[in-house]
Structure formats: C-alpha cells, structure tokens
Amino acid sequence: MEALWETLAERAEMPTEAEVDAYRRRQRQQEVRLQYIFFDVDPQASSRQWENIQSRADAVLDSIEGGASFAKMARHHSDSPTATVGGKTPRYRPEDKFTGALGEALAKLQDTGEMVREPIRTEDGIYIVRLEDRRSPLMNLGEAQWKLLSQRRRDSVKAGQRALMEDATVRVNPDVVLLQPDSR
C-alpha cells in the first residue's frame, strides 16, 4: 500500500520558478518589532489597584507625548525584562501572535515610530506600545519549493485515493460476514 501512495505522490509535478515565487508572495506574513512599556498588574488586583496603575500609565504616556524619551521612560517605569534596553524587543515577531486588545492596537499602527494613543489594558497588565518596524519577509526559496511540492504530492495522493474509491467494487461473502437486516 505504501508503494501505491509513493507512486501517486511521484505524479506531482515539480513547481516552476514562477509558481514558487508566487507561492512565496502569497505566504508572506507581517512581522513587527516593538518598543513597549509594561505595567504589571496582578489579575486578582482590586479595581482601585487597576485604576492606580492606569493613572501611572496615562502619566507616562503624557510625558512621552510631551517629548520625553520612550527609551528612558521604559527604563524607569516598565516592569518588563526589556526595560533595560529601553523597551525594545530583540527580534521580529509575527503580528498575528498578538491577540485581543494588543493585537487590535497594533493593527492600527501604520508608520514606524507611531505609538498607541492610549494605554492598552490586557489580562496581565497595561501596555504602552510603539511600532519600531513592520516587515513582510519572503519565505526562503528552498523552503517554499519544498512546501509547494509537498502540497502537490498530498493533492496527488488524495486524487488517486478518490479515483480508486470510485472504481472500487465491494463484495461481501455472506458465508464469512453475517449480514443483519436493517433495524430501522
């Protein structure tokens, strides 16, 4: 049976350079690099504690909008490990990994250097976010070719299975299999 699946998979055509390039462009994923200030809030905190931290976040945001350095404010006020580097994230992350209020706020930021208009409240605290950069890198050529070929092989096997099922005839030997009348 395995030989049959291999034979069906081998029928898949190797993708052309143009097809691989088109596939790479379709698979582009937005990535972002951020600078952020995080105010840690215990999820069990009282509404008064949340309000106090919200006021602190509002004051920090006002200071930044008034000309204070984002990096300096991050170093002095952020509860995140990135505070030591001015709130900058060390690498790009897929934008779709950010969900909820944080994801919604990021989607609104268009330009490099743009910052949220108000602090973002999440389950674990409050964020002030600035977009450092957004990019859409192309997938590696070899990886794209392999993924496209793998998809074509899976499709070829499925098509072969469908064809075999359409042509198959099933016969039951009543001496071996006891058939019971439909009990409906």
Side-chain angles (χ1 to χ4, degrees), residues 18-73:
E19 290 169 327
V20 171
D21 190 49
Y23 177 80
R24 290 172 70 204
R25 293 185 190 291
R26 284 192 313 271
Q27 299 303 313
R28 270 188 157 170
Q29 185 177 33
Q30 287 279 330
E31 294 180 335
V32 292
R33 211 170 98 216
L34 307 174
Q35 190 173 17
Y36 69 95
I37 300 170
F38 176 66
F39 301 89
D40 191 18
V41 182
D42 183 337
Q44 305 302 318
S46 69
S47 59
R48 180 90 170 128
Q49 290 169 312
W50 274 96
E51 288 171 15
N52 287 341
I53 294 175
Q54 179 71 48
S55 295
R56 204 172 123 216
D58 289 337
V60 169
L61 183 59
D62 288 345
S63 294
I64 295 168
E65 288 174 341
S69 161
F70 196 105
K72 284 183 183 177
M73 297 304 281

Side-chain angles (χ1 to χ4, degrees), residues 145-176:
Q145 185 176 32
W146 174 252
K147 285 186 175 192
L148 188 53
L149 180 59
S150 295
Q151 181 62 49
R152 286 183 173 187
R153 286 181 171 172
R154 283 190 299 276
D155 292 346
S156 179
V157 168
K158 286 179 186 177
Q161 286 174 323
R162 277 192 302 275
L164 288 171
M165 293 300 284
E166 287 172 6
D167 293 342
T169 303
V170 177
R171 294 195 178 118
V172 177
N173 181 341
D175 295 332
V176 177

Side-chain angles (χ1 to χ4, degrees), residues 91-102:
R91 65 183 187 287
Y92 285 87
R93 293 189 55 199
E95 191 167 352
D96 63 3
K97 298 290 181 198
F98 297 96
T99 59
L102 200 52

Side-chain angles (χ1 to χ4, degrees), residues 68-143:
S69 161
F70 196 105
K72 284 183 183 177
M73 297 304 281
R75 279 193 284 279
H76 289 92
H77 298 283
S78 184
D79 296 322
S80 169
T82 63
T84 59
V85 291
K88 291 185 180 187
T89 56
R91 65 183 187 287
Y92 285 87
R93 293 189 55 199
E95 191 167 352
D96 63 3
K97 298 290 181 198
F98 297 96
T99 59
L102 200 52
E104 290 172 21
L106 277 176
K108 293 176 186 173
L109 300 179
Q110 298 300 313
D111 300 320
T112 297
E114 190 175 355
M115 185 174 58
V116 294
R117 304 230 185 282
E118 58 187 44
I120 306 159
R121 184 175 174 165
T122 66
E123 291 177 6
D124 58 346
I126 299 172
Y127 289 84
I128 298 172
V129 178
R130 180 177 171 270
L131 180 63
E132 265 303 287
D133 193 23
R134 178 178 276 129
R135 69 181 186 184
S136 300
L138 281 176
M139 182 185 294
N140 165 308
L141 185 65
E143 179 184 7

